[in-house]
Amino acid sequence: MIDVVSSLLFASIGLGAVLALLAKGTLLCLLGVSVASECADMPAIVRHRIALGTVSCLAALPFLAAVLASWDLPILPRDAKSWSTEHSLSGSLLISVYVSVAVILLLRLCIDVLGIAKLSGRARNVDTAAQLSPDLDHPRGSTPVKYSDEIRAPLTWGWLRPQVLMPESASNWNAEDLAMVLQHELAHVQRMDWAGHLLARCVHAIYWPVPGIRVLLRQLSLAAEQACDD
């Protein structure tokens, strides 16, 4: 199946177009990482917006490349079509490797999402965040909270119907600690960090060979956590 997909990609866009996309992605990714690093002393919400903006631009880049004027890179052959024909074997091999890794990363994402969904289904329903912690002051207090003995730290998942999963030990926490943790997790819900996380994982699958892509995703995740702490 992967070989068929890679063959279709090679026939339709060629190796030159894939290399051009990855080259543009590299420039954009390194720019975003550099800007976010230079803004290390700024509030976490600013650094998160820079990282998320870069991820969003990377996600839009394949679509923009299809509708905007072509961009010739000096590192690539001018006649990409004839070059791809002459190097069809090596080009097909490279695209096969690229597509294979991308598909594996997307499958891992699907498996992770299904795993969290199943874990949430096995978790014990408690109540909404506001009812669990009456002193909690948050606009997303109606978000359901569940306890699970399969996790060690709180986590939030879901976009349209977000849920907060808490470790079973949280049932013994005092009211102040519980309210503080719920405030943090509900901040993730309000900021829609789950959607940003999914987008980042998809972008990683597309640009996995790009230098700095993992650094960018770490910046995004760290800034999101710090923004919720703030």
Side-chain angles (χ1 to χ4, degrees), residues 213-229:
I213 187 65
R214 293 192 177 185
V215 176
L216 176 64
L217 299 188
R218 283 198 297 270
Q219 287 179 339
L220 178 68
S221 178
L222 180 60
E225 293 298 326
Q226 292 176 341
C228 290
D229 286 342

Side-chain angles (χ1 to χ4, degrees), residues 51-60 63 106 109 192-207 213 217 220:
L52 183 59
T54 305
V55 168
S56 301
C57 290
L58 287 170
F63 304 99
L106 289 175
L109 172 59
M192 296 188 293
D193 284 336
W194 174 255
H197 172 72
L198 294 182
L199 179 63
R201 292 283 297 270
C202 292
V203 166
H204 181 216
I206 298 174
Y207 297 97
I213 187 65
L217 299 188
L220 178 68

Side-chain angles (χ1 to χ4, degrees), residues 12 62 92 109 124-125 128 138 145 153 156 164 185 189 200 220 226:
S12 59
S92 296
L109 172 59
R124 176 169 61 92
N125 264 319
T128 64
H138 200 282
V145 179
T156 300
V164 176
E185 297 303 322
V189 175
L220 178 68
Q226 292 176 341

Side-chain angles (χ1 to χ4, degrees), residues 28-61:
L28 186 58
C29 180
L30 294 179
L31 177 62
V33 169
S34 299
V35 173
S37 299
E38 289 296 325
C39 298
D41 295 333
M42 299 188 70
I45 189 172
V46 175
R47 289 183 279 111
H48 181 265
R49 287 174 179 172
I50 294 172
L52 183 59
T54 305
V55 168
S56 301
C57 290
L58 287 170
L61 193 56

Side-chain angles (χ1 to χ4, degrees), residues 7-140:
S7 298
L8 291 174
L9 281 172
F10 184 78
S12 59
I13 60 178
L15 179 61
V18 174
L19 292 177
L21 175 65
L22 294 179
K24 296 172 186 177
T26 298
L27 294 177
L28 186 58
C29 180
L30 294 179
L31 177 62
V33 169
S34 299
V35 173
S37 299
E38 289 296 325
C39 298
D41 295 333
M42 299 188 70
I45 189 172
V46 175
R47 289 183 279 111
H48 181 265
R49 287 174 179 172
I50 294 172
L52 183 59
T54 305
V55 168
S56 301
C57 290
L58 287 170
L61 193 56
F63 304 99
L64 294 177
V67 298
L68 297 179
S70 61
W71 176 28
D72 293 328
L73 293 175
I75 62 173
L76 299 177
R78 291 186 176 277
D79 191 355
K81 187 175 293 185
S82 63
W83 183 83
S84 297
T85 302
E86 296 173 2
H87 300 77
S88 58
L89 182 59
S90 58
S92 296
L93 178 61
L94 289 174
I95 291 185
S96 295
V97 173
Y98 168 74
V99 173
S100 299
V101 176
V103 169
I104 290 173
L105 291 174
L106 289 175
L107 287 176
R108 284 183 57 186
L109 172 59
C110 294
I111 292 172
D112 289 344
V113 173
L114 288 175
I116 294 178
K118 290 182 178 180
L119 187 150
S120 179
R122 295 190 298 268
R124 176 169 61 92
N125 264 319
V126 180
D127 225 323
T128 64
Q131 292 171 326
L132 187 62
S133 180
D135 296 332
L136 183 68
D137 181 19
H138 200 282
R140 299 306 297 265

Side-chain angles (χ1 to χ4, degrees), residues 119 123 146-156 164-171 173 181 185:
L119 187 150
K146 295 182 176 182
Y147 282 171
S148 173
D149 57 3
E150 300 179 57
I151 59 175
R152 296 184 177 181
L155 63 90
T156 300
V164 176
L165 298 180
M166 303 282 284
E168 193 66 41
S169 59
S171 58
W173 294 353
V181 171
E185 297 303 322

